[in-house]
Amino acid sequence: MKSLAHSLLLLGLCALMVLVPSASRKSPAQQTVADKQTPRLTLSREKNMLYIHGDHIPGGTIPINYLEAYCRAGSTDADWGKHTVVKHETQTIDLNDDRTVLKLKCTVADGIIVEHTITAKSDEVDFQLIAHNPTQVRSEVHWAQPCIRVGDFAGLGADQTDDKYAYIRKSFIFLDGKPAFMPTRNWATTARYIPGQVWCPANVPRTDVNPRPLSSEVPSNGLIGCYSADDRWIFATAFEPYQELFQGVIRCLHADFRLGGLQPGETKKIRGKIYIVPADMNALVKRYQNDFPEHAQKR
């Protein structure tokens, strides 16, 4: 009897040693679930379009015409094709294996070179740009446009509605330090090209922005964004230095960045963010203010 009891005790201890570690480990299925709960953004590029991918993103993908155009000054009341746009060509230099770091090179017709390092993280995409003028003459380029298509994110894309401007009711800038949903107060309706809406910061000449209706309102900061279809997520973007905020005509939002015309041999750095975060506006604003402290001084 003692021998039998001893054998049973040893068997029980062995079983316990096997069961305890296995209980603390996640099965492959559990690990997959855990991975899916962690937001993950990746990048791809086709022709002139940059795509942000994420299983958690409403709509699945955010397309960006990157870059739509490099632009001259004196653009507010000028012909877009004949005067404003400076032609450019964008080349993909590298995309890493996990599709989180994309490097591009823009060669602009007036001779400047702009190198882009674009990094996808769990809930943001970071943009680091270096613009250099290797020529002996001043660059004509004063600003540039990343055209970010947010219609599907807002649940108001081409498959959901024929109204190309329905998405603006979920879109915002900041006036008087608070989110202001579109159409904002003093919504402008006249310009060389309509519709659309431009907001110009105080430090940028109002003669040098998009030739769409220009609001008399000065934005409180450089953040522009929109809520997702289910209001659970916020998309927002900002660049430093920035030229304008713009609600465009292809279900798009812009925080267009400023170059200011590079002198011969001059180099400038530009940085930007795209945030795709849970719908906590206060948390987003704190994060944006930490990333772009300069914008608090650019009313």
Side-chain angles (χ1 to χ4, degrees):
M1 291 294 292
K2 288 184 180 180
S3 177
L4 178 59
H6 182 70
S7 298
L8 290 173
L9 179 60
L10 288 175
L11 183 61
L13 288 173
C14 291
L16 184 62
M17 291 174 66
V18 171
L19 288 173
V20 169
S22 64
S24 66
R25 291 194 300 265
K26 293 180 180 178
S27 69
Q30 290 172 321
Q31 188 65 48
T32 300
V33 170
D35 290 343
K36 288 183 178 180
Q37 290 172 347
T38 302
R40 181 175 182 266
L41 301 176
T42 59
L43 306 170
S44 67
R45 182 173 183 267
E46 184 178 351
K47 297 182 179 179
N48 209 49
M49 296 299 295
L50 167 66
Y51 296 95
I52 302 172
H53 305 272
D55 292 340
H56 63 294
I57 298 177
T61 301
I62 294 179
I64 309 171
N65 189 346
Y66 192 90
L67 290 161
E68 180 178 0
Y70 286 89
C71 305
R72 294 180 175 90
S75 51
T76 303
D77 190 24
D79 185 280
W80 182 252
K82 293 179 181 179
H83 167 79
T84 300
V85 174
V86 183
K87 292 183 179 180
H88 74 283
E89 182 177 329
T90 303
Q91 176 185 2
T92 298
I93 302 301
D94 185 58
L95 176 63
N96 68 348
D97 290 342
D98 62 1
R99 298 186 296 130
T100 57
V101 181
L102 174 64
K103 295 186 177 183
L104 306 176
K105 178 181 177 181
C106 289
T107 303
V108 187
D110 74 347
I112 67 167
I113 303 295
V114 185
E115 297 177 339
H116 309 248
T117 300
I118 305 169
T119 305
K121 303 180 182 180
S122 62
D123 62 354
E124 70 172 46
V125 178
D126 177 78
F127 296 79
Q128 299 292 328
L129 282 60
I130 300 174
H132 178 64
N133 181 4
T135 76
Q136 299 301 310
V137 296
R138 187 173 187 267
S139 170
E140 298 178 294
V141 175
H142 274 251
W143 55 287
Q145 291 194 308
C147 176
I148 308 171
R149 315 289 172 80
V150 297
D152 288 338
F153 178 86
L156 295 163
D159 292 338
Q160 289 80 37
T161 176
D162 292 332
D163 183 352
K164 296 179 181 179
Y165 307 103
Y167 77 99
I168 73 171
R169 67 175 182 259
K170 298 182 77 70
S171 303
F172 60 86
I173 62 165
F174 283 77
L175 298 176
D176 301 327
K178 300 176 182 178
F181 283 86
M182 302 178 197
T184 60
R185 68 190 184 213
N186 296 321
W187 192 261
T189 56
T190 59
R192 176 178 284 264
Y193 305 107
I194 57 173
Q197 199 75 183
V198 183
W199 296 270
C200 180
N203 66 305
V204 172
R206 296 175 72 85
T207 54
D208 295 348
V209 294
N210 206 293
R212 297 279 175 173
L214 175 57
S215 175
S216 61
E217 299 289 342
V218 176
S220 299
N221 59 41
L223 193 66
I224 186 170
C226 68
Y227 279 79
S228 64
D230 58 7
D231 292 326
R232 294 178 57 196
W233 297 88
I234 298 177
F235 160 90
T237 185
F239 276 80
E240 167 57 29
Y242 76 100
Q243 182 83 0
E244 64 178 20
L245 303 179
F246 175 47
Q247 174 268 310
V249 296
I250 316 178
R251 305 177 206 248
C252 59
L253 297 175
H254 292 216
D256 294 333
F257 61 81
R258 181 172 176 79
L259 290 160
L262 279 73
Q263 298 292 341
E266 185 178 13
T267 298
K268 290 184 178 179
K269 293 183 178 181
I270 301 101
R271 69 184 195 277
K273 296 280 188 184
I274 286 177
Y275 304 100
I276 303 171
V277 295
D280 182 338
M281 182 64 77
N282 290 334
L284 171 62
V285 170
K286 288 179 181 178
R287 181 167 169 180
Y288 159 72
Q289 290 173 339
N290 184 66
D291 289 338
F292 298 93
E294 308 93 332
H295 288 189
Q297 304 166 9
K298 289 192 176 181
R299 264 196 45 80

